Amino acid sequence: MLAALPPDIVAFFAVILRGLHLTAQALVLGGLMFILGVTRPLAGHLAAAGPGLEAAGLRWSGRAGFALAGVAIISILANLSQVVVGLEIKAAEAVGADFIVWNGVLAGAALAVGLLARNSGRGVHLAILVLAGLVVLAASVLSSQRCRD
């Protein structure tokens, strides 16, 4: 379907997807840094507000994780269709492309952030959540065209 659209529309769609990707990623990583840099170290000074602030940070990070996973999957499908039509290759061959693989890793890690943040009240360790956030960051860097040049 995407391949049938004019190139200008496809390029506009790619820019919108990239903007959504960066926004969701900033919310995921920013929320985790807020928890690590503000709510945990300053818990004694925040008194009763601390747990509420941490819960809000986890809530926003979780929602952004789910959004980032969705945007990454849509991006994979859009880029896959462009590669298949543009290069006239089979989808099975295009799936092995680096940007497809790393965006898949990013989607999985973002989904993990969303699930872990949502279940944080059930004894999920912050270290696992931060590790998933670092995988999001690493996969984003490795899926970038600038990383391969």
Side-chain angles (χ1 to χ4, degrees):
M1 174 188 134
L2 229 99
L5 295 173
D8 292 343
I9 300 297
V10 173
F12 175 72
F13 183 60
V15 168
I16 296 298
L17 275 176
R18 185 66 179 157
L20 291 171
H21 172 100
L22 291 174
T23 301
Q25 183 179 333
L27 286 171
V28 166
L29 298 175
L32 295 177
M33 290 187 330
F34 175 74
I35 293 165
L36 287 175
V38 177
T39 62
R40 289 288 171 103
L42 300 176
H45 299 290
L46 295 173
L53 288 172
E54 185 168 329
L58 286 168
R59 192 169 42 254
W60 278 99
S61 293
R63 290 176 184 160
F66 290 129
L68 181 56
V71 168
I73 290 168
I74 292 169
S75 179
I76 288 169
L77 295 174
N79 289 327
L80 188 61
S81 71
Q82 287 178 326
V83 168
V84 167
V85 170
L87 298 178
E88 297 177 359
I89 60 175
K90 295 179 182 176
E93 294 175 30
V95 169
D98 282 348
F99 69 93
I100 300 281
V101 172
W102 285 115
N103 276 320
V105 170
L106 184 136
L111 186 61
V113 167
L115 291 171
L116 290 167
R118 191 175 78 178
N119 295 324
S120 64
R122 299 181 188 144
V124 173
H125 295 288
L126 188 61
I128 299 170
L129 188 59
V130 170
L131 181 62
L134 289 174
V135 172
V136 165
L137 182 60
S140 179
V141 170
L142 291 170
S143 69
S144 171
Q145 178 63 33
R146 287 184 209 101
C147 182
R148 292 184 296 274
D149 288 344

